Amino acid sequence: MLLNCDLGESYGSWTMGLDSQVMPYIDQANIACGFHAGDPDVMQRTLQLAKQHGVAIGAHPAYPDLNGFGRRSMHCSHNEIINLIHYQVAALDGMAQCHGLSLSYVKPHGALYNDMMSKPAVWQAVLQAIASFHKPLKLMLLADNNRQRYQQQASELKVELLFEAFADRRYTDEGKLTPRSENGAVLHGSEVLAQVSELINDGSVTTATGQRLALNADTLCVHGDNPGAIAQVAQIRALLSRAQT
């Protein structure tokens, strides 16, 4: 299982995350493309960090919502979603090529990600955007109990999927992420390590009601927002390394 992290989310003089500290521990960097966070200078620095540490790069496009950090759903048409994804992904793809790097996947951010997983029309638009990009890219989405259906629809458009689990989010019995507005939605400390261990050893998570839910994930999302989070990512990396030996 790979580790992925949302990075490049600073903007201008505003700093978000400890990108340089978390980069050595991860395999995949989901880089903001300017619509919810990030700017050309931040994107360039994040690409340099990824290159320095040999980390795969992915685009992290969002609804055009800087003020809301991309966490507010927007009513966009099918073509608008395709265009806003192409615009952001193409920007990062072009900058990556200037560094001798190749963009390999796309992970939608925030509300766009949630809408993709809950609204069939948004899912179809996102899938079409990836399928119609000028080069093959993988699409990262939430690992849940609809994996087979997503794979079938993506294969029809020749799009390869990456299914992800979350280290620090509580799951519902349906395999969705518990909304942040609910108590216990975000895990902390030993809870995170327990969930990661269960994913690694058993391929499952324990839901908010105590049910065990099978999850077949290719990659695990972690966060590097503060020194405590960095220390936890290091522990998760150690857990994965031990499991691979």
Side-chain angles (χ1 to χ4, degrees):
M1 189 183 297
L2 303 174
L3 291 186
N4 79 80
C5 188
D6 302 343
L7 299 173
E9 294 186 318
S10 299
Y11 183 78
S13 61
W14 181 73
T15 300
M16 173 69 175
L18 302 174
D19 292 6
S20 62
Q21 294 183 41
V22 75
M23 194 74 81
Y25 296 109
I26 64 172
D27 305 292
Q28 300 166 307
N30 320 317
I31 303 177
C33 306
F35 272 32
H36 76 281
D39 59 37
D41 290 337
V42 172
M43 291 164 71
Q44 190 266 352
R45 290 196 299 270
T46 310
L47 286 166
Q48 280 187 323
L49 278 172
K51 184 174 184 178
Q52 177 184 343
H53 293 281
V55 173
I57 55 171
H60 200 36
Y63 287 126
D65 180 27
L66 272 177
N67 288 345
F69 198 66
R71 289 180 174 166
R72 299 179 293 191
S73 184
M74 300 181 71
H75 295 288
C76 297
S77 70
H78 181 87
N79 285 339
E80 285 173 333
I81 291 174
I82 292 174
N83 293 337
L84 68 85
I85 289 176
H86 280 177
Y87 183 94
Q88 294 174 82
V89 175
L92 186 65
D93 180 47
M95 293 189 73
Q97 290 182 60
C98 293
H99 290 272
L101 298 172
S102 180
L103 190 67
S104 60
Y105 67 94
V106 174
K107 175 187 172 179
H109 165 81
L112 181 58
Y113 185 99
N114 293 336
D115 287 351
M116 172 183 72
M117 299 306 304
S118 62
K119 301 177 181 179
V122 176
W123 157 250
Q124 289 296 330
V126 172
L127 189 59
Q128 185 63 51
I130 307 306
S132 59
F133 198 65
H134 73 89
K135 70 176 189 181
L137 292 172
K138 298 177 183 179
L139 174 61
M140 191 180 292
L141 71 163
L142 183 67
D144 63 14
N145 51 12
N146 293 311
R147 181 183 180 116
Q148 187 173 356
R149 175 169 61 85
Y150 288 125
Q151 283 186 316
Q152 180 179 350
Q153 293 174 351
S155 65
E156 292 172 359
L157 294 177
K158 297 181 172 59
V159 174
E160 187 174 347
L161 301 180
L162 288 168
F163 289 91
E164 77 166 336
F166 283 75
D168 63 351
R169 294 295 300 278
R170 181 71 72 196
Y171 282 80
T172 69
D173 291 347
E174 295 72 37
K176 304 300 183 184
L177 301 181
T178 301
R180 289 179 179 269
S181 58
E182 297 185 15
N183 290 332
V186 179
L187 306 180
H188 302 281
S190 60
E191 292 180 317
V192 173
L193 297 180
Q195 178 153 291
V196 172
S197 294
E198 184 179 346
L199 278 165
I200 294 171
N201 297 320
D202 304 321
S204 65
V205 294
T206 299
T207 69
T209 64
Q211 300 296 313
R212 187 164 262 200
L213 175 74
L215 279 187
N216 186 1
D218 306 301
T219 183
L220 181 68
C221 182
V222 295
H223 296 96
D225 300 339
N226 56 72
I230 301 297
Q232 193 162 76
V233 173
Q235 291 176 301
I236 293 171
R237 178 87 271 169
L239 286 175
L240 287 172
S241 297
R242 285 198 294 270
Q244 293 165 357
T245 58

